[in-house]
Amino acid sequence: MSTVAEQAWRERRLAQIVAYEASEKRSNFISEEELQAVLKRKANPERLEVEEVLSKAREFHGLSPEDAAVLLNNRDTELWAEIFQAANWIKQEIYGNRIVLFAPLYISSPCVNNCTYCGFRQTNDQVAKKTLSMAELEEEVRVLTSKGHKRLIVVYSEHPASDVDFMCRTIEKIYASKNGRGEIRRVNVNAAPLTVEEYRRLKDVGIGTYQVFQETYHYDTYRRMHPLNTLKGSYLWRLFALHRAQEAGIDDVAIGALFGLYDWRFEVLGLLCHALDLEREFGVGPHTISFPRLEPALNTPLTTNSPYLVSDEDFKKAVAVLRCAVPYTGMILTCRERPHFRREAIPLGVSQVDAGSRIAVGGYAEMEQEHIPDREQFQLGDTRSLDEFIYELCQDGYLPSFCTSCYRAARTGCNFMALAKKGLVKYFCIPNAVLTFKEYLLDYAAPERRSAGEDIIRQYTEEFGRQMPQQAGRLQALLQRVAAGERDLKM
Ligand code: SAM
Ligand code: SF4
């Protein structure tokens, strides 16, 4: 049951959303009929057609919904192997073989909404809701920085206790928390849609990316998942959430769909249309795309009985097609997925992953408990430590990165995409990944795992020296300064 104060807050917010809906001039860029028609028209693509689309993808121009539908509907196993290879190659060409690491930090769970798939929904009385106090927040950050994390995504439920004032206070607190050499250098945000004014306040406290998942682009499904009289009930308020963030000057925005609510092929096209519309209006698409898959949550039957649950094979196809369709955008694979499956999916174009994650509010202070179902939004598939996960990345030849320098050097939005489109991003990303990974190895890695990391650093430093001989000396000099104790150096 909600309190009188909660109800009053919700009513005021609802009135604001209704007024926004009446005043929004943009037209809905998701045409269900068109997307369904495209999927039908391309239901049985010929081999040649698939190969033509793949050639286009390899030129990094991105794909139209029509092209993406050709790949999504391919039935030929051999051609799927080619699509997977193309996705891997595109990622390597644009970003190199580095993987950016982050952790989610759940700050609040009391919520005025009632999303049918979420353990935090208001009517779910089997999950205990909690908002971190400032002291508890400091403790969570202390645990995260003591493991080596530098980049967070902070996650808030929608509630008067976690309004924009609270968000600003908590973000400032995180940036101010120092722990020896440990510190958080980039705070990204996942929270409910806000007004332009509210986004401006978040920009002022220095957030990185603002992330809102549409959950499903299919209108009728959206209606069923999000009751009408709730704040999340407005499809358009959410659909244009990131357009408003851009208006407020937040130029790194992140989209996502919750796979398992509706047909996965349709959701891929929805994500693509979203990316294209942001690019059309602001000259820059989303900074990242996420593809969370529905996971079991306590007392939340839809999470296990949805008719649209996505199999591992189909999930991999969705990831690879997204990589081909939106080549310059970062792609995020989370700890929702199980360890062995993460290893299979990362090569399909993933550029960012979380690791060592806990998603109960206050969960890092109880790190040894892998699951706390009666405080979690859903159940995580990968609860390995950051260090264990990094060791696996090294074994697979990836370069783990804690880099946050683009955003702090104003290489965001259009500036970042311009570099990406010239193929230049990897020339910043690789050396900065090397420098931040070196910090990690010195300050946090288990001694028995360090030599695997040093091998990776050697390999990527040599490779960088071959590709950018004029910059090789500078990287070597910076590495020596890191070894001598300096931190936060960048190319
Ligand atoms: N309350 C904010 C909102 O709804 O925008 C923050 C989002 S929520 C804490 C983070 C995301 O988790 C949601 O956008 C949704 O996509 C995802 N999520 C919710 N329930 C889930 C489940 N059972 N399995 C996997 N992901 C889930
Ligand atoms: Fe609240 Fe977000 Fe969960 Fe919906 S998904 S119930 S808005 S926390």
Side-chain angles (χ1 to χ4, degrees), residues 15-26:
Q16 230 173 350
I17 295 173
V18 170
Y20 158 83
E21 279 180 327
S23 68
E24 177 59 75
K25 301 278 185 307
R26 297 178 176 99

Side-chain angles (χ1 to χ4, degrees), residues 241-344:
L242 298 170
H243 291 64
R244 293 195 300 280
Q246 281 278 5
E247 275 179 54
I250 298 176
D251 55 2
D252 278 352
V253 298
I255 63 174
L258 182 54
F259 281 80
L261 300 180
Y262 186 62
D263 174 43
W264 64 274
R265 292 183 173 90
F266 184 90
E267 302 296 14
V268 169
L269 294 188
L271 285 165
L272 175 55
C273 291
H274 201 162
L276 291 171
D277 200 72
L278 285 165
E279 178 143 18
R280 181 194 57 75
E281 184 167 340
F282 300 101
V284 56
H287 188 66
T288 56
I289 298 184
S290 296
F291 22 84
R293 214 166 22 156
L294 205 53
E295 299 298 331
L298 189 67
N299 189 32
T300 308
L302 183 91
T303 57
T304 45
N305 67 18
S306 165
Y308 293 104
L309 293 179
V310 182
S311 69
D312 286 356
E313 266 321 289
D314 287 344
F315 186 76
K316 279 166 39 182
K317 292 173 182 172
V319 175
V321 174
L322 280 168
R323 175 71 300 155
C324 294
V326 194
Y328 297 107
T329 292
M331 302 239 298
I332 300 182
L333 182 76
T334 68
C335 282
R336 287 177 181 82
E337 305 300 334
R338 291 148 295 136
H340 81 270
F341 184 66
R342 294 236 284 177
R343 210 171 187 176
E344 271 179 54

Side-chain angles (χ1 to χ4, degrees), residues 117 155-156 190 213 215 232 238 293 295 336 377:
Y117 44 80
V155 185
Y156 302 90
N190 179 309
F213 300 157
E215 319 297 10
K232 201 155 162 179
R238 203 165 178 89
R293 214 166 22 156
E295 299 298 331
R336 287 177 181 82
Q377 189 188 22

Side-chain angles (χ1 to χ4, degrees), residues 106 108-122 155-159 190-193 215 225-226 231-232 238 258 377:
Y106 275 66
S108 67
S109 55
C111 192
V112 295
N113 292 314
N114 247 323
C115 313
T116 49
Y117 44 80
C118 177
F120 292 163
R121 69 190 184 283
Q122 188 180 44
V155 185
Y156 302 90
S157 53
E158 190 163 21
H159 191 269
N190 179 309
E215 319 297 10
M225 300 297 143
H226 309 103
L231 303 184
K232 201 155 162 179
R238 203 165 178 89
L258 182 54
Q377 189 188 22

Side-chain angles (χ1 to χ4, degrees), residues 215-229:
E215 319 297 10
T216 173
Y217 288 91
H218 186 254
Y219 187 78
D220 287 349
T221 308
Y222 191 92
R223 283 267 55 77
R224 281 201 307 282
M225 300 297 143
H226 309 103
L228 247 191
N229 62 344

